[in-house]
Amino acid sequence: AQSVTQPDIHITVSEGASLELRCNYSYGATPYLFWYVQSPGQGLQLLLKYFSGDTLVQGIKGFEAEFKRSQSSFNLRKPSVHWSDAAEYFCAVGALLNGEYGNKLVFGAGTILRVKS
Amino acid sequence: EAQVTQNPRYLITVTGKKLTVTCSQNMNHEYMSWYRQDPGLGLRQIYYSMNVEVTDKGDVPEGYKVSRKEKRNFPLILESPSPNQTSLYFCASTRSGQGYYEQYFGPGTRLTVT
């Protein structure tokens, strides 16, 4: 079964510093990967997704992620963090369900990002 | 506007009092799911539906029921809520078929059972 590991429960970075959130997945075939962000008291917003093709994926709000098959990783990066980026970030992989990948997501436990000024 | 809506957004109830959380989507999606979010566990799928009258258990179905009588609606039913069902609940929908891998999430329903 597919699984997702986000090793860091909390990360604190200074405003303006670079950010990397780690995500490792367990899946044999080409995975369908997603990063979501959840601001305090809010719902889920899709930051970016990887289905195939270029392994460096650009998303919204200046985020990018790189798919590395050899490391089973899909780490999220941002070159310069803003205070408004403080939120919880979830990595997810599309799980095979009834022959299709769109019907279920398996999520990591999440990483809470704190931004200090 | 394409969207998934949930009601209510917030609910406080007592143990054993039946409740229903509604979910509706306006995108004519075949697949719909319910997830619950708990600290340190991320989101986990409760139930899903592949189309009208076709539902199946997800990873954490105990204590929940669902129905799919219309394509657009997928209510979540807690017939006898317990405190361990206090959680944040998300409904999601997606199109069926190859290439449609993105799920659209509702705004969430925060449920507290006392």
Side-chain angles (χ1 to χ4, degrees), chain B:
Chain B
E1 179 189 357
Q3 61 181 351
V4 178
T5 57
Q6 296 179 225
N7 282 291
R9 296 288 312 280
Y10 302 90
L11 180 59
I12 300 174
T13 190
V14 296
T15 299
K17 185 177 181 181
K18 181 180 179 179
L19 66 92
T20 299
V21 183
T22 65
C23 172
S24 183
Q25 50 95 3
N26 62 1
M27 295 168 279
N28 202 37
H29 285 169
E30 290 80 14
Y31 278 86
M32 298 185 75
S33 290
W34 277 102
Y35 293 83
R36 60 177 288 174
Q37 181 186 353
D38 302 291
L41 297 176
L43 282 79
R44 295 173 293 167
Q45 192 184 55
I46 303 170
Y47 266 94
Y48 67 94
S49 170
M50 294 180 285
N51 216 320
V52 175
E53 302 292 1
V54 183
T55 63
D56 207 347
K57 297 176 181 178
D59 297 320
V60 287
E62 292 77 21
Y64 304 95
K65 286 177 57 178
V66 293
S67 69
R68 188 94 180 270
K69 300 189 186 307
E70 303 168 283
K71 196 173 186 180
R72 63 184 293 126
N73 297 323
F74 190 44
L76 179 69
I77 303 158
L78 286 73
E79 295 209 327
S80 184
S82 62
N84 65 13
Q85 292 178 297
T86 293
S87 188
L88 179 58
Y89 292 86
F90 288 99
C91 181
S93 72
T94 187
R95 278 188 67 174
S96 176
Q98 295 298 321
Y100 299 104
Y101 305 126
E102 182 176 340
Q103 295 210 357
Y104 294 80
F105 284 89
T109 294
R110 186 166 293 281
L111 171 65
T112 302
V113 183
T114 61

Side-chain angles (χ1 to χ4, degrees), chain A residues 8-52:
Chain A
D8 305 303
I9 299 174
H10 296 98
I11 281 185
T12 300
V13 299
S14 297
E15 191 168 15
S18 63
L19 170 70
E20 183 169 31
L21 301 182
R22 296 183 292 164
C23 172
N24 293 98
Y25 64 89
S26 170
Y27 186 59
T30 300
Y32 301 99
L33 295 159
F34 306 81
W35 274 100
Y36 287 86
V37 61
Q38 185 179 37
S39 298
Q42 302 298 310
L44 295 168
Q45 182 178 24
L46 179 66
L47 284 176
L48 47 78
K49 59 193 175 189
Y50 172 78
F51 294 161
S52 64

Side-chain angles (χ1 to χ4, degrees), chain A residues 65-99:
Chain A
E66 185 171 13
F67 169 59
K68 293 185 177 180
R69 183 188 300 275
S70 61
Q71 299 177 19
S72 297
S73 69
F74 188 57
N75 294 347
L76 182 71
R77 301 194 295 246
K78 187 170 185 179
S80 178
V81 169
H82 188 262
W83 63 267
S84 61
D85 293 324
E88 188 164 17
Y89 292 79
F90 293 96
C91 181
V93 64
L96 185 62
L97 189 63
N98 297 306

